[in-house]
Amino acid sequence: DRDTDKKRIEELLEENMVLEIAQKQSMNESAHLGWELEQLSKSTDLADTRKSFVFELNECASSRILKLEKDNQSLQNTIQELRDASLTSRESSLKFVELEKENQQLSKKIEKLQNQIEKEKQSNQDLETLSEELIKDKEQLQVIMETLKADKDRQVKN
């Protein structure tokens, strides 16, 4: 039973490492998205709107990642406590079941985060497209205004 428990602990540690890697990748991806949004916002009149959106996006992703890291640390502490306390086989099994459930919940949270990041990427692309369209419309309106002004000036002279 102890060998089985030790193997299970090792498996859970490996799962935690995989979750940590996924969290770090999610953080990197979120940071990269934030950077891309900042670069886009510098080139348009919508800079203030985009900066606040980027800021909110980064804050939201960071808080989710911090929460997941906290949960992960809690699981690691629990595993260490189980090792140190050398609980009976039955108690260990119950703790492992709880840890498995928590790991599954963390996996689901990470998957949700990844889905949200994909949605946010799409939203960012949509915002970029809209921004480009607005810039084109603005340029067209400026040309029209200049043409109308020139026509008006000609009419006034005649």
Side-chain angles (χ1 to χ4, degrees), residues 60-120:
C60 184
S62 295
S63 67
R64 289 179 191 147
I65 289 169
L66 287 174
K67 184 180 183 315
L68 289 173
E69 287 177 345
K70 183 180 175 184
D71 291 345
N72 196 14
Q73 184 63 40
S74 173
L75 288 173
Q76 289 177 348
N77 290 340
T78 304
I79 289 171
Q80 188 60 42
E81 289 172 9
L82 287 174
R83 285 181 180 162
D84 295 342
S86 65
L87 297 172
T88 64
S89 174
R90 187 176 207 183
E91 291 172 333
S92 293
S93 296
L94 291 176
K95 283 287 187 181
F96 284 124
V97 168
E98 289 176 28
L99 288 174
E100 284 180 26
K101 288 180 183 177
E102 287 182 50
N103 270 338
Q104 288 175 355
Q105 289 172 350
L106 279 176
S107 295
K108 289 178 183 177
K109 287 179 183 178
I110 287 173
E111 186 177 325
K112 285 180 183 177
L113 270 178
Q114 289 171 340
N115 288 338
Q116 286 177 338
I117 286 173
E118 287 300 319
K119 288 179 184 176
E120 289 168 356

Side-chain angles (χ1 to χ4, degrees), residues 37 40 50 123-133:
L37 282 174
L40 288 173
R50 285 189 175 182
S123 175
N124 291 341
Q125 289 174 350
D126 293 345
L127 280 174
E128 182 180 347
T129 302
L130 179 61
S131 174
E132 290 171 359
E133 290 173 2

